[in-house]
Amino acid sequence: MSKTIWVIHGPNLNLLGSREPGIYGTATLAQIDADLAKFGSDQGFSVESFQSNHEGALIDHIQTAPAAGVGFIILNPAAYTHTSVALRDALAAVALPFIEVHLSNIHRREPFRRHSYFSDLAVGVIAGLGPSGYRLALQAAIESLRAGGPAAAPAASTNKG
Ligand code: DQA
């Protein structure tokens, strides 16, 4: 069983804490990542976080996940949620289970945020719960790995939308 879980954050999430706090809250990315690392290590898992403002850097990172022995990915693609076929294709290519997380509830914001290029590939989606969403996703990822992997692998998607 893999004991390595990656947390991947997309563009502008490095600004958490000061970025639109009314929408994204006041926790910094460093605080969120430290909380996840501790939560994971307390349960015997290595949780490694990565953030980039660059689409290609996120893709390069995801491509290395299988060789790094990653068992599960927790992903907040940020604005790339709504734009990036390339990042979606990287997730499909590595065929690792992932949970899509958004701090804000993307369904009660601007209409362009309602569509995600990732949700139909994801094991699950959490939106609107702030930093707790990452923690809940991590708990679910750990339970899934302990149970021997998710029931629905990303490659099983049939969504044509
Ligand atoms: C976000 C929601 C996206 O629409 C936005 O572009 C982000 C953050 C969230 O966590 O709520 O940058 O993914």
Side-chain angles (χ1 to χ4, degrees):
M1 171 187 56
S2 170
K3 293 228 167 181
T4 303
I5 298 169
W6 275 6
V7 181
I8 300 176
H9 308 281
N12 299 306
L13 294 173
N14 55 312
L15 299 179
L16 286 179
S18 60
R19 176 193 181 197
E20 300 183 88
I23 295 174
Y24 297 115
T26 53
T28 66
L29 192 63
Q31 288 168 340
I32 291 171
D33 286 341
D35 176 72
L36 294 174
K38 173 156 188 350
F39 188 80
S41 72
D42 284 350
Q43 300 188 63
F45 284 77
S46 172
V47 179
E48 299 162 15
S49 295
F50 177 83
Q51 187 276 332
S52 180
N53 294 326
H54 303 276
E55 191 172 22
L58 292 162
I59 292 166
D60 286 345
H61 187 63
I62 288 166
Q63 286 184 3
T64 67
V70 174
F72 215 107
I73 293 173
I74 293 165
L75 173 69
N76 183 347
Y80 290 141
T81 305
H82 322 296
T83 66
S84 183
V85 175
L87 197 54
R88 172 200 168 91
D89 284 352
L91 267 301
V94 298
L96 286 169
F98 72 94
I99 296 174
E100 176 184 347
V101 173
H102 301 283
L103 293 152
S104 66
N105 182 350
I106 55 176
H107 299 288
R108 60 185 291 188
R109 299 182 61 193
E110 303 96 324
F112 67 82
R113 295 188 199 275
R114 289 183 197 145
H115 177 258
S116 165
Y117 278 104
F118 299 85
S119 299
D120 63 303
L121 293 183
V123 173
V125 182
I126 298 174
L129 303 183
S132 299
Y134 286 104
R135 176 89 77 95
L136 293 165
L138 179 54
Q139 181 61 51
I142 289 170
E143 288 174 14
S144 174
L145 287 171
R146 284 190 174 137
S157 170
T158 53
N159 190 310
K160 307 276 194 302

